[in-house]
Amino acid sequence: MVCMENIKQLCYENKIILAPMVRINTLPMRLLALDYGADIVYTEELIDHRLIRCYRKVNETLQSVDYIDKSDATVVFRTCSREKPYVVLQIGTSDPERAAKAAQVVEQDVAGIDINMGCPKDFSLKGGMGAALLFNPNKACAILSAVVSAVKIPVTCKIRVLQNIDDTVALCKKLAATGIAAIGIHGRTIKERPMHPNRDHFIKTISEALNIPVIANGGSKEIKVFEDIIKFKNITGCSSVMIARTAEKNCSIFKRDGKLELCTVIRDYLRHAVDYDNVAPNTKYCIQNMLQNIQETEQGRHFLESTSLQQICDLWELGDYCRQKQKKMNYLRFEERDVACNDQKRIKPNSVDEEETKNDVNSLKCMYIRSLYPRPEDLPKTKLLNWAKLHNKPLPKYHTEQFEKLFKSTVTFDNQKYSSSFWEKNKRWAEQGSAIVCLHYLKVYDINYMKINGILG
């Protein structure tokens, strides 16, 4: 095999790779894998429709590049210069034109594009994506050909094996003929799960039949230490190895000199999560997959009760580090949500902002930040409710407007209306934001408190 490697071309020969995993392979995990010795890191699967809907933003505060969904300001893909030469973005698609367009959206910030042809989940199959493409080889080849023609970076695909080895080899030859740079092979069929043995002999036969690098996947069950990765590579006769579940549990499997204690791995992961403002639910999900049975310990139980990145960091003695970083990052959310807000105003000009002017709504631009309210009684809505009861006032009433995927709420209290001009991602947060404004006018929250905590825009 010949591997043309230069500054612009990612080489897939003799590499150890972090495999794509949904909800796991966000930026913190990819960076952690690179820290520990992975040669290439794949993103989680990102659907073509969402990528096409994104705009690109250079995030000066985080020193990252963000692809942000215009409809709701969600960060769909975040990357940085550290990973650019090694990151492969995996696309979920069922259409050649959409796949090519999505690949072009992110081309300048990644080293390669992968098309998911192996996911067996119902969501993918019903949409004609993932493993559904294995049974529609003409469409699979059309997608790959379209993406290869559309971008200047390497294109690959990741598949599962078919029931018959000859059929699998024939399919792989068709896919390879589209001009892809490499192919990843998970050695199980669409119906097989981790408890089933990986069909290593399938991968070996495919590797011998193709003249492009073959990346073996599915061997995590037998991979406990780094040397097991090399054994898996030798058994399958492949060019490279792709690791999923073993890396999910302890990413230091990539370290040539031996794995680290899980506590160290979690702390290393959390630093990346804090540095790149990773959302708390995703951070928690990744750590849950690391902890496994350790969740039964006292620390594990406290972890399961956590709801914010700050609370998670406190458990691993990174609380102060998290607090210092998050104050700087909160200002970013105002700017990102304003883009989505302006986009929605163009779609629906009779916005809540106009209603505020008409109805003399007391308004401030402030954001609800969940981590600032660790106890239920601290939540702005709860605090306002208790204030009303204490002062024998009518209970507050909330009215929420929705435009596309964004929400803005107005609370009526003591014959006055209060609203934040900041658009939130869900109704609950929008109501909390309006309660913050009301509490400010009631002199429960002052401007200095709001500025110090990054609440005020």
Side-chain angles (χ1 to χ4, degrees):
M1 297 181 188
V2 178
C3 181
M4 302 298 294
E5 184 170 19
N6 54 50
I7 294 175
K8 295 182 179 180
Q9 186 78 32
L10 181 65
C11 176
Y12 292 86
E13 184 74 46
N14 197 29
K15 304 296 184 187
I16 298 175
I17 302 167
L18 177 68
M21 292 178 283
V22 173
R23 294 182 67 190
I24 297 293
N25 286 33
T26 47
L27 181 57
M29 186 63 74
R30 300 196 304 268
L31 291 176
L32 189 67
L34 290 174
D35 289 346
Y36 291 154
D39 299 306
I40 298 172
V41 290
Y42 278 54
T43 69
E44 61 179 335
E45 177 191 35
L46 299 172
I47 305 302
D48 53 9
H49 287 289
R50 292 204 74 193
L51 289 170
I52 292 168
R53 205 163 58 220
C54 287
Y55 70 92
R56 181 181 186 271
K57 173 183 170 58
V58 176
N59 189 326
E60 299 291 351
T61 302
L62 299 184
Q63 294 295 296
S64 67
V65 174
D66 299 344
Y67 285 83
I68 302 172
D69 191 324
K70 294 176 184 176
S71 69
D72 63 0
T74 300
V75 178
V76 175
F77 173 55
R78 173 166 285 160
T79 185
C80 65
S81 59
R82 161 82 170 93
E83 72 166 359
K84 184 176 179 179
Y86 317 106
V87 64
V88 176
L89 186 141
Q90 187 182 70
I91 297 176
T93 185
S94 62
D95 180 80
E97 185 178 348
R98 281 202 313 271
K101 191 173 181 180
Q104 288 174 330
V105 168
V106 297
E107 177 182 7
Q108 64 183 304
D109 293 305
V110 298
I113 296 291
D114 183 76
I115 303 300
N116 184 349
M117 297 185 177
C119 180
K121 302 293 185 184
D122 285 344
F123 168 78
S124 290
L125 298 179
K126 290 177 181 177
M129 303 183 295
L133 293 170
L134 299 177
F135 307 100
N136 194 341
N138 290 337
K139 179 179 278 190
C141 289
I143 290 171
L144 292 176
S145 296
V147 179
V148 168
S149 298
V151 299
K152 296 179 181 178
I153 55 177
V155 177
T156 61
C157 67
K158 182 173 182 289
I159 73 167
R160 281 178 172 252
V161 298
L162 303 176
Q163 191 67 39
N164 180 277
I165 191 168
D166 292 333
D167 292 341
T168 309
V169 171
L171 173 63
C172 289
K173 286 182 176 179
K174 286 182 181 180
L175 299 175
T178 63
I180 58 175
I183 185 168
I185 312 289
H186 184 116
R188 294 182 180 86
T189 67
I190 187 174
K191 293 183 178 179
E192 291 174 335
R193 294 297 176 262
M195 72 281 294
H196 296 102
N198 202 53
R199 302 184 185 213
D200 295 344
H201 60 294
F202 274 47
I203 301 175
K204 184 174 178 64
T205 302
I206 295 166
S207 185
E208 292 169 350
L210 300 185
N211 59 4
I212 61 172
V214 172
I215 306 166
N217 182 225
S220 281
K221 198 172 181 180
E222 284 74 38
I223 295 175
K224 308 300 180 187
V225 294
F226 181 83
E227 288 74 20
D228 294 333
I229 299 175
I230 306 305
K231 290 179 184 177
F232 181 54
K233 182 177 185 295
N234 293 334
I235 289 170
T236 57
C238 63
S239 306
S240 298
V241 171
M242 184 177 274
I243 307 296
R245 286 179 298 113
T246 297
E248 174 185 72
K249 295 172 185 174
N250 188 328
C251 198
S252 67
I253 188 67
F254 293 109
K255 286 179 64 67
R256 273 68 172 171
D257 56 352
K259 290 196 296 185
L260 299 173
E261 293 291 328
L262 192 57
C263 182
T264 300
V265 174
I266 292 174
R267 286 173 60 85
D268 289 347
Y269 169 79
L270 277 172
R271 285 191 184 91
H272 286 310
V274 170
D275 288 346
Y276 288 98
D277 197 25
N278 202 51
V279 295
N282 178 256
T283 301
K284 186 173 181 177
Y285 178 79
C286 290
I287 295 176
Q288 278 182 291
N289 281 277
M290 297 181 205
L291 287 176
Q292 299 183 81
N293 295 334
I294 303 176
Q295 293 179 60
E296 301 302 321
T297 65
E298 183 176 355
Q299 185 184 36
R301 287 191 291 273
H302 285 306
F303 166 73
L304 291 176
E305 294 169 359
S306 65
T307 58
S308 69
L309 187 59
Q310 180 65 67
Q311 290 173 327
I312 297 170
C313 286
D314 283 334
L315 293 172
W316 275 275
E317 300 178 349
L318 289 170
D320 290 341
Y321 182 76
C322 182
R323 272 182 281 274
Q324 292 168 6
K325 289 278 186 177
Q326 286 202 325
K327 284 181 184 178
K328 297 179 181 178
M329 295 173 186
N330 286 334
Y331 297 105
L332 283 175
R333 297 181 175 91
F334 286 109
E335 184 179 348
E336 290 169 358
R337 204 64 55 78
D338 281 347
V339 172
C341 174
N342 291 332
D343 189 62
Q344 299 307 327
K345 283 182 185 176
R346 286 192 291 272
I347 297 170
K348 193 166 184 175
N350 295 323
S351 69
V352 173
D353 294 340
E354 294 172 350
E355 291 299 315
E356 289 170 1
T357 303
K358 291 177 187 175
N359 299 327
D360 296 322
V361 175
N362 298 293
S363 180
L364 282 175
K365 185 179 181 181
C366 63
M367 175 173 54
Y368 170 66
I369 302 171
R370 180 66 182 87
S371 60
L372 296 179
Y373 313 99
R375 300 178 305 171
E377 60 268 31
D378 295 330
L379 292 170
K381 283 184 66 178
T382 304
K383 192 174 284 289
L384 178 57
L385 180 65
N386 290 335
W387 195 96
K389 292 177 180 178
L390 180 65
H391 293 83
N392 296 314
K393 298 289 186 181
L395 300 184
K397 295 182 179 180
Y398 295 87
H399 173 72
T400 303
E401 299 278 346
Q402 178 180 356
F403 298 139
E404 296 292 324
K405 297 182 179 180
L406 296 177
F407 298 81
K408 192 184 291 187
S409 184
T410 300
V411 59
T412 300
F413 180 70
D414 201 18
N415 297 317
Q416 293 287 317
K417 293 184 178 181
Y418 305 89
S419 179
S420 170
S421 59
F422 182 73
W423 294 52
E424 294 286 5
K425 293 183 181 181
N426 60 58
K427 181 181 178 182
R428 295 190 306 277
W429 289 15
E431 290 177 347
Q432 297 286 5
S434 64
I436 291 172
V437 177
C438 184
L439 289 166
H440 163 69
Y441 278 93
L442 294 174
K443 302 189 184 304
V444 177
Y445 295 150
D446 63 24
I447 288 291
N448 288 332
Y449 163 83
M450 297 167 81
K451 286 182 177 178
I452 289 171
N453 287 285
I455 297 172
L456 197 65

